[in-house]
Amino acid sequence: MSGENLEMDKYLFHQGTHYTAYDFLGAHIHGDEVRFITWAPNAKHVQLACDVNDYTGEGFDFERLGDQGLWILTTPRLQAGDRYKYKIYFGDTYHLKSDPYGFYHEKRPATASIIHEDDFKFTDSEWMDRRRRLNVYESPISIYEMHLGTWMKHPVGNTENKTVDEITDEAHYSYREVADALIPYLKEMGYTHVEFLPLTEHPFDLSWGYQVTGYFSATSRYGRPEELKDLINKLHNANIGVIMDFVPAHFCKDAHGLRLFDGTPTYEHPDEEIAEKREWGTLTFDYARPEVQSFLISAAMYWIREFHIDGLRIDAVHSMIDLNFEKRDENRKIFNEEGTEDNIAGIELLKKLNTVAFEYDETLLMMAEDSSDTPMVTSPVHTGGLGFNFKWDLGWMHDRLDFMEEEFHTREYNHNKLTFSMAYKYNENYLLPLSHDEVVHGKKSIVDKMAGDQWQQFAQTRLLYGNQMSEPGKQLLFMGQEFGMYHEWKDKEQLDWHLLDYPLHYDLKRYVADLNRLYQEYPEFHRSDYQPEGFRWLLVDDSSHSILSYARKSGDSFKVCVFNYRPEVYHDFKIPVPEPGVYREIFNSDSEDYSGSGVVSSGRHFTTDEGYIRESQYIQISVAPLAFQVFDLEDNKNGRKKYD
């Protein structure tokens, strides 16, 4: 690389505007030499500790690259596959650090970085071209959220004289192995996207990837970086999008990681009260520091540009934008210069990240996992928003799950938990999640949260998934919940696949697959998610029966959805409908095909005029117990047939 380009790289990096800083920092092979650049502004000296010098650093001394903390070393004595660390001197001592920009690291518990170069070539141009033509707001997005390490495992043989990590690694499916099992499964189930819990390098398995040490490194637990690229490439060629969780909110304190990188706060905020996330035992980035901005935005863009990731789910946004996130002591609260609790630097970092991402590709999925009530999370940056295009609706998730844990006889007093989400629905572009956070740490699985006996629990799970699919907003479901795991997520074991030998579980899986197909087949369920005219209440306040009904619309077409949150059957029940005509039931979660009781509204349902109701007409149907039913207009008053 020429000196001129290095000067520009340095300038952009220190300005906080180098968005591909991974091409500049870290270890790069240039012909017969390897060049290393690292940023350690308060270091006295830097050496390369590696296998060649037995990690002493001798003979591999860095030189300063400018006067703002960059260090450079070029050597012909190393090659791809060699391991290394940075030996950073400060004060009267030193420590060894992994490369923050390393592309590949040793498998834990080892912590060295590895010089890496791959020549993988993607063959997903058809997918990428099609993606860039999509309107993501009007497209079906049904996401299967999964933790790669515990979705499916190999049986482990003799464990004698093996460490816990060795046993765990023997059970793991590799990136390549998981492709062979996962892709057919996602196709069978009808998911449009898969979302992986973080695949960046992390030292502790039970952090699930959320405590990162290698922001530019695919975790070596499951193979090499090019093998992850191959998995993504195969997913794309199967018409499945890929989302990855990304964690700019905090990082772990492990000695080889980012903490006190040059002996002083380098990546973390210098104010301990701001830096410490005591609930998690982690550290907050110094978002105001330009070099940290270059680091974090480059890391996000690395996965988008180099791995063809279709979207990022940004974890713990609330903790990035609130100076007092989870600070319970009122006397220790922090305020910014304007006297508010906003973390202005964190807010600006997110705006900058989203701006850069959408300038690169406006069809990316940039999703905020945000538990705050901050407005305009999904509004464009130029209008004052944070710039995401989707936000997880955690309020919908908590209200629905809380309601469905209620005993049936108390539900009429909590009916508003079924309707409140529509009061704020169009404030943001919401995604409706039933995520990993809700089925772990004693919260129970989705099925096990439901009130009632076993049959009622499965019926309500089908009902919940029907509501999730049909209410405005894209959708996400965590692995194992599609077939009704009884046990909450066991983050050391594979899913309980043996449950598919039992009818209730097998039929729930079939139901979810059919639900995904219904969702994608009919544009009413996805095309107008973020347009108020795409939704209309038909029956909203019948708390005495716990019955709801609404219409989902796309243009002139609509579907009527009916929900019964009680175990009773109601025959000849009046459901208002938007237009006169003849209606047929096209979907019913109580079908015997799904282990339901078989209460269906077969045949043709003719409307009856009723002048005193808003819709002016209704149909009479059999409302199935604890069920989700969909009705389609066969013809209207002009005789035009809407759908076959």
Side-chain angles (χ1 to χ4, degrees):
M1 186 173 289
S2 70
E4 180 181 349
N5 285 339
L6 274 179
E7 289 303 312
M8 180 57 70
D9 284 326
K10 287 161 50 182
Y11 173 78
L12 294 174
F13 176 69
H14 293 306
Q15 290 292 308
T17 56
H18 203 316
Y19 306 137
T20 56
Y22 56 86
D23 282 335
F24 166 51
L25 287 104
H28 293 274
I29 298 173
H30 296 283
D32 295 330
E33 296 183 319
V34 183
R35 190 197 67 195
F36 300 85
I37 297 179
T38 193
W39 177 60
N42 291 302
K44 286 185 174 180
H45 187 54
V46 179
Q47 292 179 314
L48 194 75
C50 55
D51 289 322
V52 172
N53 59 27
D54 293 327
Y55 287 86
T56 64
E58 292 180 5
F60 291 83
D61 294 279
F62 282 71
E63 297 177 351
R64 291 186 182 274
L65 181 62
D67 57 4
Q68 293 181 269
L70 289 170
W71 298 80
I72 186 170
L73 166 68
T74 301
T75 176
R77 298 171 61 190
L78 298 174
Q79 60 187 354
D82 287 341
R83 299 174 299 174
Y84 69 98
K85 287 187 177 183
Y86 296 131
K87 187 174 185 179
I88 299 175
Y89 292 83
F90 57 94
D92 297 324
T93 188
Y94 65 87
H95 56 203
L96 297 176
K97 290 287 187 179
S98 299
D99 188 348
Y101 287 86
F103 294 139
Y104 190 35
H105 292 83
E106 288 184 292
K107 189 182 295 183
R108 52 92 186 92
T111 58
S113 304
I114 300 173
I115 300 170
H116 186 73
E117 187 175 55
D118 74 67
D119 57 358
F120 183 84
K121 303 296 182 185
F122 279 92
T123 60
D124 61 350
S125 58
E126 184 176 337
W127 165 269
M128 299 296 283
D129 291 342
R130 185 167 62 252
R131 188 190 84 186
R132 292 181 178 120
R133 295 193 299 269
L134 280 179
N135 181 327
V136 295
Y137 305 106
E138 296 182 357
S139 300
I141 297 178
S142 180
I143 303 168
Y144 187 68
E145 185 192 34
M146 64 175 288
H147 178 251
L148 195 150
T150 54
W151 182 69
M152 191 174 285
K153 286 178 175 284
H154 294 295
V156 177
N158 183 10
T159 61
E160 188 177 355
N161 299 322
K162 293 181 180 177
T163 67
V164 172
D165 286 342
E166 287 171 339
I167 295 169
T168 300
D169 291 338
E170 186 176 331
H172 278 155
Y173 271 47
S174 69
Y175 293 123
R176 285 187 168 153
E177 289 171 330
V178 81
D180 294 335
L182 177 63
I183 292 172
Y185 187 75
L186 294 175
K187 296 294 287 184
E188 174 194 358
M189 294 303 296
Y191 285 103
T192 65
H193 292 72
V194 60
E195 179 175 326
F196 293 111
L197 272 59
L199 293 175
T200 41
E201 193 59 84
H202 53 284
F204 183 45
D205 285 14
L206 297 186
S207 77
W208 314 330
Y210 289 99
Q211 296 188 10
V212 183
T213 50
Y215 276 82
F216 298 84
S217 177
T219 178
S220 55
R221 284 167 176 77
Y222 316 121
R224 298 166 63 83
E226 57 268 29
E227 294 169 342
L228 175 55
K229 290 180 179 179
D230 184 59
L231 169 60
I232 295 167
N233 190 59
K234 288 176 178 175
L235 284 160
H236 283 171
N237 286 323
N239 294 317
I240 298 167
V242 182
I243 302 164
M244 190 177 79
D245 287 7
F246 183 70
V247 192
H250 60 129
F251 60 89
C252 61
K253 296 181 178 180
D254 292 61
H256 66 283
L258 298 176
R259 180 175 180 263
L260 299 175
F261 186 74
D262 65 4
T264 67
T266 310
Y267 290 88
E268 66 267 42
H269 199 283
D271 184 336
E272 183 178 339
E273 286 299 309
I274 296 175
E276 289 284 346
K277 280 188 164 60
R278 291 183 170 83
E279 295 276 332
W280 298 336
T282 56
L283 294 169
T284 303
F285 283 99
D286 185 358
Y287 301 118
R289 198 163 193 174
E291 294 86 356
V292 173
Q293 294 173 21
S294 289
F295 173 81
L296 287 173
I297 296 175
S298 290
M301 295 308 298
Y302 174 71
W303 295 100
I304 291 167
R305 294 171 67 105
E306 306 301 327
F307 280 74
H308 290 199
I309 292 288
D310 301 293
L312 297 173
R313 177 262 204 186
I314 307 302
D315 183 59
V317 167
H318 189 182
S319 75
M320 297 179 66
I321 63 179
D322 182 355
L323 287 170
N324 295 304
F325 175 75
E326 292 195 342
K327 287 186 169 65
R328 310 194 190 283
D329 187 346
E330 291 289 326
N331 296 320
R332 299 185 68 177
K333 281 202 167 184
I334 302 168
F335 299 90
N336 61 35
E337 294 178 355
E338 298 174 2
T340 74
E341 298 180 42
D342 293 339
N343 186 337
I344 295 173
I347 291 170
E348 292 304 314
L349 184 279
L350 289 171
K351 290 180 178 181
K352 194 172 185 179
L353 168 60
N354 287 320
T355 298
V356 172
F358 288 127
E359 284 178 352
Y360 177 75
D361 187 342
E362 62 183 12
T363 64
L364 290 168
L365 306 176
M366 296 297 289
M367 298 180 169
E369 188 268 321
D370 175 30
S371 58
S372 77
D373 58 1
T374 300
M376 301 181 71
V377 172
T378 57
S379 295
V381 171
H382 71 269
T383 66
L386 287 184
F388 291 95
N389 54 0
F390 294 99
K391 175 181 175 176
W392 280 24
D393 189 350
L394 301 177
W396 173 88
M397 177 177 70
H398 293 140
D399 280 353
R400 288 299 185 280
L401 294 176
D402 287 348
F403 179 87
M404 299 188 83
E405 290 184 74
E406 291 274 350
E407 296 297 329
F408 301 122
H409 67 276
T410 65
R411 289 187 171 182
E412 66 178 298
Y413 308 112
N414 295 282
H415 193 74
N416 65 306
K417 289 186 177 180
L418 296 176
T419 61
F420 180 64
S421 62
M422 289 307 304
Y424 62 82
K425 178 65 68 175
Y426 300 103
N427 294 346
E428 304 281 1
N429 300 326
Y430 283 113
L431 176 145
L432 308 181
L434 293 168
S435 72
H436 68 279
D437 279 329
E438 295 311 304
V439 294
V440 74
H441 296 327
K443 295 180 182 178
K444 300 191 290 188
S445 69
I446 296 294
V447 163
D448 201 26
K449 291 176 189 287
M450 303 293 121
D453 60 30
Q454 184 188 49
W455 185 90
Q456 291 169 337
Q457 287 182 314
F458 275 82
Q460 289 179 94
T461 300
R462 297 191 300 270
L463 172 60
L464 172 64
Y465 295 167
N467 171 229
Q468 181 192 36
M469 183 281 292
S470 62
E471 186 169 315
K474 310 310 179 186
Q475 58 184 333
L476 174 146
L477 185 65
F478 185 58
M479 66 181 194
Q481 309 314 303
E482 76 276 14
F483 60 83
M485 276 187 61
Y486 283 124
H487 200 288
E488 66 179 19
W489 177 34
K490 297 175 283 190
D491 56 4
K492 295 180 181 179
E493 303 174 32
Q494 72 167 357
L495 300 183
D496 291 337
W497 294 106
H498 66 276
L499 292 175
L500 290 172
D501 292 336
Y502 299 90
L504 279 172
H505 299 273
Y506 181 85
D507 290 345
L508 177 59
K509 173 176 170 282
R510 177 164 55 179
Y511 171 78
V512 171
D514 287 351
L515 200 62
N516 274 329
R517 293 185 184 95
L518 182 78
Y519 169 65
Q520 293 177 58
E521 179 181 357
Y522 292 110
E524 295 93 324
F525 292 122
H526 59 256
R527 189 164 292 166
S528 300
D529 281 335
Y530 306 108
Q531 301 166 11
E533 58 269 24
F535 177 92
R536 183 175 178 85
W537 281 117
L538 301 174
L539 189 62
V540 64
D541 56 1
D542 189 355
S543 59
S544 62
H545 295 99
S546 296
I547 290 178
L548 290 173
S549 180
Y550 51 70
R552 288 303 312 276
K553 303 179 68 178
S554 175
D556 293 332
S557 299
F558 61 88
K559 297 289 181 286
V560 173
C561 303
V562 181
F563 305 85
N564 180 8
Y565 290 87
R566 298 285 185 90
E568 287 79 26
V569 178
Y570 302 101
H571 294 294
D572 297 323
F573 197 91
K574 296 179 180 179
I575 298 293
V577 291
E579 292 185 15
V582 181
Y583 289 76
R584 287 185 181 272
E585 182 182 83
I586 63 169
F587 193 81
N588 188 329
S589 69
D590 195 47
S591 165
E592 292 179 358
D593 289 340
Y594 308 132
S595 291
S597 65
V599 175
V600 297
S601 280
S602 57
R604 307 172 80 198
H605 302 276
F606 293 83
T607 54
T608 301
D609 292 340
E610 189 76 82
Y612 65 85
I613 64 173
R614 183 181 68 171
E615 302 300 336
S616 300
Q617 61 274 318
Y618 63 85
I619 55 175
Q620 288 183 278
I621 66 169
S622 293
V623 177
L626 298 171
F628 163 60
Q629 296 165 264
V630 181
F631 294 84
D632 196 9
L633 179 64
E634 180 180 295
D635 53 44
N636 64 13
K637 60 187 176 183
N638 298 318
R640 186 184 70 226
K641 195 168 185 179
K642 297 278 184 167
Y643 280 100
D644 293 328

